Amino acid sequence: MKGLFATIVLMLGIGYAPFAAVATEDLPPPRSDSWTVPTQFLACRGNAYALCYYSGPEIATPSRRYSNPPVMPCEMDADGAEAAACTCYAVTDLPAIPDESPLGPALQFNYVLMTSILQKDVNRATIEECGPLGDKCLNLVNLGTCAGSEFQGEGCQQADVCSMLGDARTGARQTLYENLTDVTLISTFSFENASQHAFGSTSCDGGKYAGCMTAPCKQDENGLTTCQCPVFDGPYQVGQRSERLKELGLGCDISPNVWSAANRIALP
Protein backbone atom coordinates (compact mmCIF):
# COMPACT_ATOMS: atom_id res chain seq x y z
CA MET A 1 0.00 0.00 0.00
CA LYS A 2 2.89 2.41 0.72
CA GLY A 3 4.18 1.87 -2.83
CA LEU A 4 0.72 2.68 -4.19
CA PHE A 5 0.63 5.83 -2.05
CA ALA A 6 3.97 6.99 -3.48
CA THR A 7 2.72 6.37 -7.01
CA ILE A 8 -0.40 8.44 -6.37
CA VAL A 9 1.59 11.34 -4.91
CA LEU A 10 3.96 11.42 -7.86
CA MET A 11 1.30 10.95 -10.54
CA LEU A 12 -1.16 13.56 -9.28
CA GLY A 13 1.42 15.98 -7.95
CA ILE A 14 -0.11 16.05 -4.46
CA GLY A 15 1.85 18.31 -2.20
CA TYR A 16 3.43 20.29 -5.02
CA ALA A 17 3.00 24.01 -4.36
CA PRO A 18 2.36 26.73 -5.15
CA PHE A 19 -0.11 26.16 -7.98
CA ALA A 20 -0.20 28.68 -10.79
CA ALA A 21 -3.60 30.01 -11.79
CA VAL A 22 -4.97 29.00 -15.16
CA ALA A 23 -8.04 30.24 -16.96
CA THR A 24 -10.55 27.41 -17.20
CA GLU A 25 -11.84 28.79 -20.50
CA ASP A 26 -8.37 28.12 -21.97
CA LEU A 27 -8.67 24.38 -21.33
CA PRO A 28 -10.12 21.92 -23.87
CA PRO A 29 -13.86 21.24 -23.43
CA PRO A 30 -15.15 19.31 -20.38
CA ARG A 31 -15.58 16.09 -22.35
CA SER A 32 -11.76 15.95 -22.70
CA ASP A 33 -11.29 15.40 -18.94
CA SER A 34 -8.41 17.88 -18.99
CA TRP A 35 -6.90 19.27 -15.79
CA THR A 36 -3.87 21.18 -14.61
CA VAL A 37 -3.59 20.81 -10.81
CA PRO A 38 -4.83 18.13 -8.35
CA THR A 39 -6.83 20.69 -6.34
CA GLN A 40 -9.33 20.53 -9.21
CA PHE A 41 -10.36 17.07 -7.95
CA LEU A 42 -13.18 18.00 -5.56
CA ALA A 43 -13.72 15.55 -2.69
CA CYS A 44 -17.18 14.04 -2.15
CA ARG A 45 -18.36 11.47 0.38
CA GLY A 46 -21.51 9.47 1.05
CA ASN A 47 -22.58 8.80 -2.54
CA ALA A 48 -22.53 5.69 -4.67
CA TYR A 49 -20.67 6.22 -7.95
CA ALA A 50 -19.26 4.63 -11.09
CA LEU A 51 -15.51 4.19 -11.49
CA CYS A 52 -14.40 4.05 -15.12
CA TYR A 53 -10.70 4.71 -14.52
CA TYR A 54 -9.64 1.22 -15.70
CA SER A 55 -12.10 0.75 -18.56
CA GLY A 56 -11.19 0.24 -22.21
CA PRO A 57 -9.99 -3.05 -23.70
CA GLU A 58 -11.79 -6.34 -24.28
CA ILE A 59 -9.54 -8.10 -21.76
CA ALA A 60 -9.05 -7.63 -18.02
CA THR A 61 -6.07 -5.58 -16.82
CA PRO A 62 -4.93 -7.25 -13.58
CA SER A 63 -2.00 -5.78 -11.70
CA ARG A 64 -0.50 -9.25 -11.17
CA ARG A 65 -1.30 -12.89 -11.57
CA TYR A 66 -3.47 -13.25 -8.48
CA SER A 67 -5.63 -10.17 -8.96
CA ASN A 68 -8.85 -10.83 -10.81
CA PRO A 69 -10.61 -7.67 -12.02
CA PRO A 70 -13.53 -7.89 -14.45
CA VAL A 71 -13.37 -7.15 -18.16
CA MET A 72 -14.57 -3.55 -18.63
CA PRO A 73 -14.64 -2.55 -22.30
CA CYS A 74 -15.28 0.90 -23.76
CA GLU A 75 -17.01 0.38 -27.08
CA MET A 76 -17.57 3.19 -29.56
CA ASP A 77 -21.21 3.77 -30.49
CA ALA A 78 -22.05 2.09 -33.78
CA ASP A 79 -24.01 5.07 -35.12
CA GLY A 80 -20.88 7.15 -35.44
CA ALA A 81 -21.72 9.49 -32.56
CA GLU A 82 -18.73 10.72 -30.58
CA ALA A 83 -19.60 8.60 -27.55
CA ALA A 84 -18.67 5.24 -26.07
CA ALA A 85 -20.48 2.76 -23.85
CA CYS A 86 -18.02 1.96 -21.07
CA THR A 87 -18.41 -0.85 -18.56
CA CYS A 88 -17.26 0.44 -15.17
CA TYR A 89 -17.15 -0.51 -11.52
CA ALA A 90 -20.35 0.26 -9.59
CA VAL A 91 -19.17 1.40 -6.14
CA THR A 92 -22.29 1.30 -4.00
CA ASP A 93 -20.94 0.46 -0.52
CA LEU A 94 -19.41 3.17 1.65
CA PRO A 95 -15.74 2.36 2.35
CA ALA A 96 -14.46 1.09 5.68
CA ILE A 97 -10.84 2.27 5.84
CA PRO A 98 -8.32 1.05 8.46
CA ASP A 99 -6.87 3.82 10.61
CA GLU A 100 -3.32 2.76 9.73
CA SER A 101 -3.88 3.20 5.99
CA PRO A 102 -1.14 5.51 4.58
CA LEU A 103 -3.72 7.11 2.28
CA GLY A 104 -5.80 8.11 5.31
CA PRO A 105 -9.01 9.98 4.51
CA ALA A 106 -8.29 10.04 0.77
CA LEU A 107 -9.72 6.51 0.46
CA GLN A 108 -13.01 7.55 2.06
CA PHE A 109 -13.85 10.00 -0.70
CA ASN A 110 -14.48 10.01 -4.41
CA TYR A 111 -13.57 12.95 -6.59
CA VAL A 112 -15.26 15.12 -9.20
CA LEU A 113 -12.86 16.74 -11.65
CA MET A 114 -14.41 20.20 -11.71
CA THR A 115 -13.07 21.09 -15.17
CA SER A 116 -14.89 18.07 -16.59
CA ILE A 117 -18.42 18.50 -15.27
CA LEU A 118 -20.53 17.85 -18.37
CA GLN A 119 -23.59 19.83 -17.27
CA LYS A 120 -22.73 23.38 -18.35
CA ASP A 121 -24.70 25.23 -15.66
CA VAL A 122 -23.25 23.05 -12.90
CA ASN A 123 -19.77 23.45 -14.38
CA ARG A 124 -20.03 27.24 -14.28
CA ALA A 125 -21.52 27.28 -10.78
CA THR A 126 -18.77 25.02 -9.46
CA ILE A 127 -16.01 27.22 -10.87
CA GLU A 128 -17.68 30.22 -9.26
CA GLU A 129 -18.04 28.40 -5.93
CA CYS A 130 -14.64 26.70 -5.74
CA GLY A 131 -12.46 28.97 -7.89
CA PRO A 132 -10.73 27.84 -11.11
CA LEU A 133 -8.21 25.78 -9.11
CA GLY A 134 -10.77 24.22 -6.77
CA ASP A 135 -8.89 25.44 -3.70
CA LYS A 136 -11.95 27.13 -2.17
CA CYS A 137 -13.62 23.73 -1.66
CA LEU A 138 -12.63 20.40 -0.15
CA ASN A 139 -10.28 18.69 -2.60
CA LEU A 140 -7.73 15.95 -3.01
CA VAL A 141 -4.86 18.14 -1.78
CA ASN A 142 -6.34 19.85 1.29
CA LEU A 143 -8.24 16.76 2.44
CA GLY A 144 -5.70 15.67 5.05
CA THR A 145 -5.43 19.13 6.58
CA CYS A 146 -9.18 19.57 6.62
CA ALA A 147 -9.68 16.15 8.23
CA GLY A 148 -7.33 17.23 11.01
CA SER A 149 -9.53 20.25 11.70
CA GLU A 150 -12.73 18.16 11.50
CA PHE A 151 -13.54 19.82 8.17
CA GLN A 152 -13.91 23.26 9.72
CA GLY A 153 -12.49 26.38 8.18
CA GLU A 154 -12.01 27.93 4.79
CA GLY A 155 -11.90 25.52 1.86
CA CYS A 156 -12.95 22.49 3.93
CA GLN A 157 -16.57 22.20 2.79
CA GLN A 158 -17.74 19.87 0.05
CA ALA A 159 -18.71 21.53 -3.21
CA ASP A 160 -22.42 21.75 -4.02
CA VAL A 161 -21.95 19.33 -6.92
CA CYS A 162 -21.35 16.55 -4.37
CA SER A 163 -24.97 16.80 -3.22
CA MET A 164 -26.09 16.04 -6.80
CA LEU A 165 -24.44 12.61 -6.85
CA GLY A 166 -27.01 10.90 -4.63
CA ASP A 167 -26.83 9.56 -1.07
CA ALA A 168 -25.93 5.93 -0.41
CA ARG A 169 -27.31 6.02 3.13
CA THR A 170 -30.76 7.41 2.38
CA GLY A 171 -31.09 6.03 -1.12
CA ALA A 172 -31.60 9.50 -2.58
CA ARG A 173 -31.00 9.42 -6.34
CA GLN A 174 -28.65 11.59 -8.32
CA THR A 175 -29.92 14.98 -9.48
CA LEU A 176 -27.14 15.94 -11.88
CA TYR A 177 -29.30 14.50 -14.68
CA GLU A 178 -32.76 15.07 -13.27
CA ASN A 179 -34.55 14.27 -16.51
CA LEU A 180 -32.78 10.92 -16.95
CA THR A 181 -34.70 8.82 -14.46
CA ASP A 182 -32.91 5.58 -15.43
CA VAL A 183 -29.51 7.01 -14.52
CA THR A 184 -28.54 5.57 -11.14
CA LEU A 185 -24.85 6.44 -10.84
CA ILE A 186 -22.51 9.25 -11.87
CA SER A 187 -18.95 8.52 -12.97
CA THR A 188 -16.29 10.04 -10.70
CA PHE A 189 -12.73 9.09 -9.63
CA SER A 190 -11.49 7.27 -6.54
CA PHE A 191 -8.72 4.93 -5.37
CA GLU A 192 -11.17 2.02 -5.09
CA ASN A 193 -9.77 -1.18 -6.66
CA ALA A 194 -6.39 0.46 -7.29
CA SER A 195 -4.56 -2.65 -6.06
CA GLN A 196 -6.42 -4.78 -8.62
CA HIS A 197 -4.83 -2.86 -11.49
CA ALA A 198 -1.38 -1.47 -12.27
CA PHE A 199 -2.31 2.03 -11.03
CA GLY A 200 -0.06 4.60 -12.68
CA SER A 201 0.10 6.57 -15.91
CA THR A 202 0.78 5.84 -19.57
CA SER A 203 1.08 8.84 -21.87
CA CYS A 204 -0.43 8.67 -25.34
CA ASP A 205 0.45 11.30 -27.93
CA GLY A 206 -3.01 11.46 -29.44
CA GLY A 207 -6.10 9.61 -30.54
CA LYS A 208 -9.66 9.06 -29.46
CA TYR A 209 -10.47 8.32 -25.83
CA ALA A 210 -13.50 8.37 -23.56
CA GLY A 211 -13.79 11.23 -21.07
CA CYS A 212 -16.06 9.60 -18.50
CA MET A 213 -15.96 12.14 -15.67
CA THR A 214 -19.57 12.92 -14.55
CA ALA A 215 -20.98 10.71 -17.32
CA PRO A 216 -24.45 9.21 -16.63
CA CYS A 217 -24.49 5.49 -15.82
CA LYS A 218 -27.00 2.68 -15.51
CA GLN A 219 -26.24 -0.05 -13.00
CA ASP A 220 -26.13 -3.63 -14.27
CA GLU A 221 -27.34 -6.74 -12.49
CA ASN A 222 -23.81 -8.14 -12.25
CA GLY A 223 -22.55 -5.37 -9.96
CA LEU A 224 -20.98 -3.32 -12.74
CA THR A 225 -22.44 -0.32 -14.55
CA THR A 226 -22.55 1.03 -18.10
CA CYS A 227 -21.69 4.69 -18.61
CA GLN A 228 -22.31 6.73 -21.73
CA CYS A 229 -19.05 8.65 -22.08
CA PRO A 230 -18.24 11.40 -24.59
CA VAL A 231 -15.26 10.76 -26.84
CA PHE A 232 -12.49 13.28 -27.45
CA ASP A 233 -9.54 13.27 -29.86
CA GLY A 234 -6.22 14.50 -28.49
CA PRO A 235 -3.32 13.60 -26.18
CA TYR A 236 -4.24 11.66 -23.06
CA GLN A 237 -3.00 9.48 -20.22
CA VAL A 238 -4.24 6.00 -19.36
CA GLY A 239 -4.36 5.41 -15.60
CA GLN A 240 -2.25 2.24 -15.64
CA ARG A 241 1.50 1.63 -15.89
CA SER A 242 2.86 1.16 -19.41
CA GLU A 243 5.12 -1.77 -18.45
CA ARG A 244 2.17 -3.81 -17.22
CA LEU A 245 0.02 -2.91 -20.21
CA LYS A 246 2.81 -4.10 -22.53
CA GLU A 247 2.92 -7.41 -20.65
CA LEU A 248 -0.78 -7.76 -21.36
CA GLY A 249 -0.26 -6.96 -25.04
CA LEU A 250 -1.90 -3.53 -24.75
CA GLY A 251 -0.89 -0.03 -25.77
CA CYS A 252 -2.50 3.31 -26.52
CA ASP A 253 -4.36 1.97 -29.57
CA ILE A 254 -6.96 -0.62 -28.55
CA SER A 255 -9.29 0.02 -31.50
CA PRO A 256 -12.08 -0.52 -32.17
CA ASN A 257 -12.33 0.17 -28.42
CA VAL A 258 -11.08 3.29 -26.66
CA TRP A 259 -9.54 3.85 -23.24
CA SER A 260 -11.32 5.75 -20.53
CA ALA A 261 -8.66 8.37 -19.95
CA ALA A 262 -7.88 11.99 -19.04
CA ASN A 263 -5.36 14.65 -19.97
CA ARG A 264 -3.17 16.43 -17.47
CA ILE A 265 -1.92 19.64 -19.05
CA ALA A 266 1.48 20.77 -17.76
CA LEU A 267 1.62 24.42 -16.82
CA PRO A 268 4.42 26.54 -18.29
Side-chain angles (χ1 to χ4, degrees):
M1 180 65 80
K2 289 183 179 179
L4 173 61
F5 177 63
T7 300
I8 291 168
V9 169
L10 289 171
M11 192 185 78
L12 295 180
I14 302 170
Y16 293 2
F19 294 131
V22 61
T24 52
E25 62 268 21
D26 292 338
L27 291 176
R31 69 180 186 277
S32 70
D33 281 10
S34 296
W35 59 285
T36 56
V37 292
T39 49
Q40 291 169 328
F41 286 85
L42 305 178
C44 302
R45 182 166 60 176
N47 59 287
Y49 59 93
L51 177 63
C52 300
Y53 193 72
Y54 307 103
S55 303
E58 291 289 345
I59 64 171
T61 58
S63 60
R64 48 196 179 277
R65 290 182 181 177
Y66 53 86
S67 61
N68 189 31
V71 176
M72 295 184 291
C74 272
E75 300 174 342
M76 291 283 289
D77 285 357
D79 61 4
E82 291 298 287
C86 295
T87 301
C88 308
Y89 285 111
V91 184
T92 57
D93 295 326
L94 299 181
I97 308 301
D99 293 337
E100 65 273 14
S101 170
L103 281 174
L107 290 176
Q108 301 175 21
F109 288 77
N110 63 103
Y111 303 89
V112 171
L113 180 56
M114 58 176 291
T115 54
S116 300
I117 298 173
L118 296 173
Q119 295 287 67
K120 291 181 179 180
D121 55 340
V122 180
N123 188 309
R124 288 191 295 265
T126 303
I127 293 171
E128 182 176 348
E129 176 191 9
C130 301
L133 301 182
D135 53 341
K136 295 181 180 179
C137 295
L138 187 66
N139 62 70
L140 182 58
V141 175
N142 69 8
L143 187 56
T145 301
C146 288
S149 65
E150 298 183 347
F151 301 99
Q152 301 298 314
E154 186 177 357
C156 289
Q157 283 70 51
Q158 289 189 167
D160 289 343
V161 67
C162 294
S163 66
M164 302 178 186
L165 305 178
D167 190 313
R169 290 187 177 89
T170 66
R173 66 179 301 274
Q174 63 82 24
T175 57
L176 190 60
Y177 299 93
E178 287 189 283
N179 296 329
L180 301 180
T181 57
D182 56 347
V183 170
T184 55
L185 298 172
I186 303 299
S187 173
T188 64
F189 166 75
S190 80
F191 301 113
E192 185 78 15
N193 296 314
S195 63
Q196 293 291 312
H197 303 269
F199 186 96
S201 182
T202 297
S203 293
C204 299
D205 292 336
K208 291 186 176 183
Y209 65 96
C212 289
M213 178 59 64
T214 73
C217 311
K218 301 175 184 179
Q219 191 168 349
D220 301 332
E221 293 181 358
N222 59 3
L224 298 174
T225 185
T226 301
C227 301
Q228 195 69 13
C229 302
V231 169
F232 191 74
D233 196 336
Y236 61 95
Q237 297 86 44
V238 177
Q240 302 182 64
R241 295 193 305 273
S242 59
E243 316 88 78
R244 181 57 178 149
L245 294 182
K246 288 178 182 177
E247 291 174 356
L248 296 169
L250 298 171
C252 292
D253 184 1
I254 57 170
S255 56
N257 287 21
V258 292
W259 286 105
S260 170
N263 182 30
R264 184 179 185 182
I265 298 176
L267 295 174

